[in-house]
Amino acid sequence: MLLIKANRDEILRPLQSVSGIVEKRHTLPILSNVLMERTTDGLTLLATDIEIQIRTRTTAGESAGDTALTVGARKLQDILRSLPDSADVSLVMEDKKLAVRAGKSRFSLQTLPAADYPRMSASEGDGISLDITQKQFKRLLSLVQYAMAQQDIRYYLNGLLVVASGNELRVVATDGHRLATAVMPLAEPVATRTDVILPRKTVLELSRLLADSDDALNIRLTNNQVLFNFGHVELVSKIIDGKFPDFERVIPANHPKLISIPSNELLPSLQRAAILTNEKFRGVRLVLSAGSLKLISTNTEQEEAQEELEVDYQGEALDIGFNITYLLDVLTHVSGDTVDLRLNDSNSSALISFAGNEGFKYVVMPMRI
Amino acid sequence: MPSIQRLPDLLISQIAAGEVVERPASVLKELLENSLDAGSQSLDLQLEQGGVRRLRLADDGCGISQDELPLALARHATSKIASLDDLENVSTMGFRGEALAAIASVARLSITSRARGSSHAWKIDALDGTTEPAALSQGTVVDMSDLYFATPARRKFLKSEATEWGHCDDVFRRIALAHPEVAMQASHNGRLAHRLPSGDLARRVSELMGEEFMAAARPLEVTAGGLRLWGYAALPAYSRAGRDAQYFYVNRRFVRDKLIQHAVREAYSDILHGARHPAFVLFLELDPGAVDVNVHPAKTEVRFRDARAVHQFVFHAITRTLAPSIEAGNLAAAAHPYTPQTDAAAPNFNLQQQQPLHWQNHAEASRLSPSLDWQNSGSNAGGAHTVAQPLAAYQRLAQLGTTAFDAAASATAADEAPLGFALAQLHGIYILSQNRHGLVLVDMHAAHERILYERLKNVLAGEPQTQQLLVPVLINASSKELATLTEQQTTLAQIGFDAAAAGPQQIVLRSVPALLQRADSANLLRALLAELADFPASKVIETRRNELLATLACHGAVRANRTLSIPEMNALLRDMEATERADQCNHGRPTWVQLSVADLDKLFMRGK
C-alpha cells in the first residue's frame, strides 16, 4: 500500500522536524521509531520521547488509502538524506515492512504496529493561551537558554522558567552560578499569572524548530503541559514539576559601582584573556581602578594574560574574580552596543545588562581566585 | 518474679571467657603475650587439632613462684599493673588479669613453672587448684587441653581443624613479627611449622612474609614529635588481593585500627589500583600515655589521644617512603642482581674508546658507529631539556679517560640515569631503553600521564579557588552531620566549602571548590562530613580533585601510535626519574619493567 510518493525534500523536511527528539538509545524499541499516519488530509508524522511529542503534517505527493505504521526514524532519515536532491521517493507498506524506493535504490525497513506507539495524553484544564510570533520567542529563548543547568541534581534547574503575567512574558534560566532573565511584551494581558518550567530538551528543540520569521506562534500553558503550535508543527511538552528559585531575590538592586564598556571592546579582550585561563577553573580577575579595568588570567603553567580597558569610572578600586566562561556566554549570546557592569564588593554578585536591551538581566557570582 | 543474686565465680569467668576466649587462637594470643611479658627469649609452641585438642606453650621467662600459682588462675589477679597510673601507662601486652581465669573456666589447664632462683618447679592443675612439685629446668609451661569441654555449646561454633590452625598461625605470625629478638618455634600435630631463630627485624620479616615481599619492601624509619614509625612498606608492585599482608603495631601490639587503616589507605591511594591492598609491616611507637589500649578485650582497637597527629604522621611517613622517584636503590630492588661479567662488558668497551670530542659531535659519532647511539641520544636529551645530570655524568666519564674507567664508573653513570637511554619505540606504545641492568620497557602513555598528573597536583596545591553560588544549595542533613559541620567549619572553609547550618535538619552551602563546581555538591559535602566525623582529616576533596586532574592528565598525555624521536623518549625517561611515584600510572599499573641481561640470557638459554 502506497504511503507517499513525493520529492525527497517533501518527505525529509517534515521528518527532520520531528526526529530531533528521538533518542538514540532506548529501552523501549518503539521510541526510536517515528509514527507515520496517512489519512485523507495528508501524511502526519509524529515522534515522542514520552516527555516531548512533536507532530507535523505534509500534504505533498500522492498516496492511496488510510494507513499507519512506525519505522526507525534515524534510519529513514539517513536514507533520505543520502539520496540525490532531485530524487522522487516512494514509501510503500509491504507485508509489515516499509519499502523505500528511489530511482534504482531499494530499501526495506522493519516496522512496528502504529497502535503500540505511545502518545501523550491530552492536557488537563484550559490554561492560558498566548499569541506571539516565532521570531519573538526564538529571540527570547536565545537570550537565556545558555544559562540553563545540565544534569544538575536540582532537576528544576535543568530547564527554563516561563512566567506569563500581566502584559509581559518572562523567561529565566540559571545553573546555580549565574542567572539570565529576559522579558517581552504581550499584546493582550493574561488573566492569571502562570509559571511553568520547560525541560531543557524542549527549549533546545524549540529554538531549533522555530523560524526567524513573523509567522504566528501559539503557546498554551496548562497545569501539566505546554503546547506550541507553529507552521505545521505541534509540539507538546511535559513541564518540570518543581519550585524554581526566586529569581527576583538574586537580582541585586543597589550595586554602587557602574562600569559601561562597549561590548565590541570587552568581548575580544575576554576572548584573548581566556586563552591563558586554567582549563578547569577558567578564572579571570577583574581589577578595577579609576579609569581602568584590567582583565588578568593565569594558567597552570604560570603564564599570564593581561588586558586593560579604559573605562569611565572614578569610584574605589576592586579586585574580583569570575569564571570567564560565564562572562563570555552572555557577551556572545546577547547583543548590545554597551555592556553595563554593576558591582559591589569582591564577594557579591555582578549584574550585567545591555543598553537598549531593556528587561535583560544577567547575574553572575564571583569566584575566589 | 526472678530474684537478683550474685553469680558464682565460675559462671562469671565463663561469661568473661565468651569475650576473651573466642577460639583457640585467642587462647594462644593470651599465652604468648604472657610469655613475652615474662621476658622470655625463646618460645616453643605445640598444637594439636588446631589447638582445640591441646595447646602447649613452653617459655624461658621469669616463672611464677609456688605461692603465686593459685593467684595466677584467679580472676582479676595480675602482676602487670597495680594502680590506675599503671593502667594509663601500660607497657606490657596484657594487664586485665582475666585471661588465665577465663581459659581455666572453659578448658583443662595446668601450669608448670619454676621461678628464677627456686630449687624446683611447681605445677598447678586448674581443675582442683592443687599444687605439686614438678620437673622443669626454667620458665613456664602452660598446657591447655580440651577447649570448651565445660561448655559444649560453644564447641559447636568452632570451625574445622584447618581453619582454627590457620587462625593460630595468624596470631603466631603477628606476635613473631613484633618480637624478632625472641626465638620462636611452632608445631602443629607434631609437624614443625615455624622455626624462627632470634635475629633482626629484616630477617624475621623475610622469614614470615617471604622474599618477594622483602624485594618490594622499602624500609621506613621516621621520627617526629614523640612518634616513631618504622618497618617495611611494600611498593605497589607487591600488592595483594586481600588484607592478609597488613601488619601494623602500636607499641608492639598488633592492631587493626580504623584510623590507622584509613591513614595507610590514603597514603597508598594515589599509586595503588583501587581493588588491590597494600602489604606492610609497620611499627608505631609513642608514649604509652598517649594511647588507650583498654578499648576492647582483644586489644586490636586502640584510641589515640591526638588522633589527628597520628593520622597525619602515619600518612606522611608512608607517603614520603613511597613517593621518591626512580633511583638506583629502588631500581636495584626491582631488578635482578647485577652481574658485572655479563652486562657491563659491552658498554665498557664503547666508553673506553669514547673521546670528549665524540659526544659533542654526536651526529657524526652515530654515523660512525651505531653502537654509540644510546650515548649520543643521552646527551641530546640533556641539551634539549637542560637536565644537568646526564651531561655532567658524561663529562665525568670523559675526564676519567681510558685507564681509570672501570665498572664502578659505569655504575655511577647508570645511577645518574636509572632508566637508561632510549633505543627505540615499539609499535608506537612502548619505549625500549637500555640501562646498566639490561633492557627497560616503558609504557609511554602511562608514564607521561603520571608525569603530567604530578605536575598538575603540584601547581594546584595551596589556596583553593572557590565558586560562590548564586542559588545556595540546601541539603537535608542528620544531626550527626550538622554536629560535624559545626566542629569542622574551618577545615571545610580551607578546602573551599562555605557551609552553615540553616535549621535543625538543613545545611546551606554557599560556595564550592571551583575545580569541582560541576560535581554533585550535596553528595560531595555529605561524603566529606561522613569522613570528617570518623577521621580527623578528610581526603575526599583531594581524592575527587585528583580524579579530575587524572582525567586531565590522561587527555594531555601522548597517545599510543604517536611516534617519538629518541630525544623525546629520553626526555620522557628523565622526566620519569624526576617525578614522584613515576613507577605507577594514575590507575596503579606499572609504567615500566626491567628485563635484566640475566633474564634475557634465560630466554635464549645462554650460559646453561
Side-chain angles (χ1 to χ4, degrees), chain B residues 88 97 125 127 198 241 243 245 287 330 472 484 503 516 539-540 582 592:
Chain B
E88 282 172 356
D125 194 323
L127 214 53
S198 78
R243 291 178 199 205
D287 175 21
N330 177 357
T484 319
L516 298 173
K539 298 268 183 298
V540 166
W592 60 278

Side-chain angles (χ1 to χ4, degrees), chain B residues 331-332 334-340 342-347 374 410 414 417-424 431-442 573-574 592-601:
Chain B
L331 191 81
H336 288 263
Y338 168 49
T339 42
T342 54
D343 62 351
W374 65 279
S410 135
L419 290 178
F421 296 101
L423 300 169
I431 295 172
L432 304 184
S433 161
Q434 172 176 311
N435 69 355
R436 82 172 158 137
H437 300 284
L439 180 70
V440 176
L441 278 169
V442 177
L573 295 176
R574 300 294 85 76
W592 60 278
V593 288
Q594 170 89 57
L595 286 173
S596 71
V597 175
D599 288 338
L600 296 172
D601 284 349

